[in-house]
Amino acid sequence: MGAGRLYVTVAAGGFRRYATYRAATAAGVFTNTVFGVILVYTYLALWDEKPHLGGYDQAQAVTYVWLGQCLYATLAIQGGGAEKDLMDRIRTGEIAVDLYRPADLQLWWLASDLGRSLFQLLGRGVIPFAFGALFFPMALPVGAGPWLACLVALLLAMVVSFAIRYLAALSVFWLLDGMGVSQAVMIAGVFFSGIVLPLNAFPGAFGDLVQVLPWAAQIQMPADVLMGEIDPWRAFAFQAAWALVLLAAGRLLQSAATRRVVVQGG
């Protein structure tokens, strides 16, 4: 099996794995829809008091809410993607099996996580977004170009999200337990991704800072691309740069972690 075909197969396996959890998917759709409605009315009240907050009008703010709910599980904003399984395998020593596979460790887990992300986008993300478009005024583009550009931004967001969580997972080689790291990933993901409030609404120098951190590539960039608030190529360059930096950092940390492996769990 060629390398490309191998990783496509791994991605397909990740997609099928999450597709089996139908009840959890239905519960997730319901939860994201309910939270979307709550956030929309919160945003509408906020934008009544602060019109054009962050440069958005109310329709754009509503669009941002529903895109965020669409991407919440897709990008594993609070964790719970491939990094959870990887942490468990490092802790139990099963990572030794992964290291013996004739495949690249980072690419294997990236492919698996992309399969998971694609299922979550289609299975859990589309319905809340469609619900929002049906019942609330949203700033959606008419032509196909912005939608295609948004899909590219989403793919890059998936890679950046994985790269952040992969770094967190590799820390378990030294910490031997991923609980604290998982909590840190959850807090950072919620605060810095913009899932609660658009990053361009943060004030002053702190607002400038959060918009150049890697988490900005997850929701803020796809949202701005979809709504025409940023040149797509500028967004792609920002996302691709962070993806390359984080994946390279993951490669270096992986090399350091596997140079001398002590297998846990006997």
Side-chain angles (χ1 to χ4, degrees), residues 68-93:
Q69 293 305 304
C70 173
L71 299 181
Y72 178 80
T74 300
L75 301 178
I77 297 298
Q78 287 190 286
E83 83 287 350
K84 183 178 182 296
D85 292 335
L86 180 54
M87 287 177 177
D88 288 341
R89 293 182 72 81
I90 296 172
R91 181 180 57 81
T92 61

Side-chain angles (χ1 to χ4, degrees), residues 26-257:
V29 169
F30 176 78
T31 301
N32 287 130
T33 304
V34 170
F35 272 96
V37 171
I38 294 171
L39 278 175
V40 162
Y41 283 110
T42 304
Y43 273 37
L44 290 176
L46 179 59
W47 259 257
D48 278 338
E49 294 296 322
K50 298 284 187 179
H52 299 287
L53 179 64
Y56 289 167
D57 59 27
Q58 281 193 337
Q60 289 176 311
V62 171
T63 304
Y64 186 93
V65 167
W66 289 112
L67 185 62
Q69 293 305 304
C70 173
L71 299 181
Y72 178 80
T74 300
L75 301 178
I77 297 298
Q78 287 190 286
E83 83 287 350
K84 183 178 182 296
D85 292 335
L86 180 54
M87 287 177 177
D88 288 341
R89 293 182 72 81
I90 296 172
R91 181 180 57 81
T92 61
E94 293 176 284
I95 190 65
V97 176
D98 300 338
L99 294 173
Y100 270 109
R101 289 193 182 110
D104 182 87
L105 184 70
Q106 188 183 51
L107 290 179
W108 178 283
W109 287 100
L110 172 59
S112 177
D113 198 62
L114 287 177
R116 178 204 62 79
S117 296
L118 182 57
F119 172 77
Q120 297 289 20
L121 177 64
L122 298 176
R124 182 168 169 174
V126 170
I127 295 176
F129 190 83
F131 176 90
L134 183 62
F135 291 101
F136 296 92
M138 291 173 60
L140 299 178
V142 177
W147 290 102
L148 292 175
C150 184
L151 288 177
V152 175
L154 288 182
L155 178 60
L156 290 169
M158 292 176 188
V159 177
V160 172
S161 172
F162 164 79
I164 293 172
R165 291 178 285 111
Y166 188 71
L167 283 169
L170 291 177
S171 69
V172 180
F173 273 107
W174 290 273
L175 300 176
L176 306 183
D177 184 85
M179 184 64 69
V181 177
S182 296
Q183 292 295 317
V185 167
M186 178 186 71
I187 294 170
V190 170
F191 192 79
F192 291 114
S193 71
I195 189 68
V196 177
L197 188 70
L199 299 180
N200 53 20
F202 283 47
F206 184 69
D208 295 334
L209 173 63
V210 295
Q211 290 186 69
V212 298
L213 295 177
W215 290 273
Q218 294 182 301
I219 296 178
Q220 191 70 54
M221 287 296 118
D224 283 344
V225 167
L226 182 65
M227 296 185 289
E229 289 294 309
I230 190 173
D231 178 70
W233 292 106
R234 180 183 169 193
F236 299 160
F238 175 83
Q239 292 176 294
W242 270 120
L244 290 173
V245 168
L246 293 169
L247 288 174
R251 181 72 60 172
L252 290 174
L253 192 61
Q254 171 186 310
S255 177

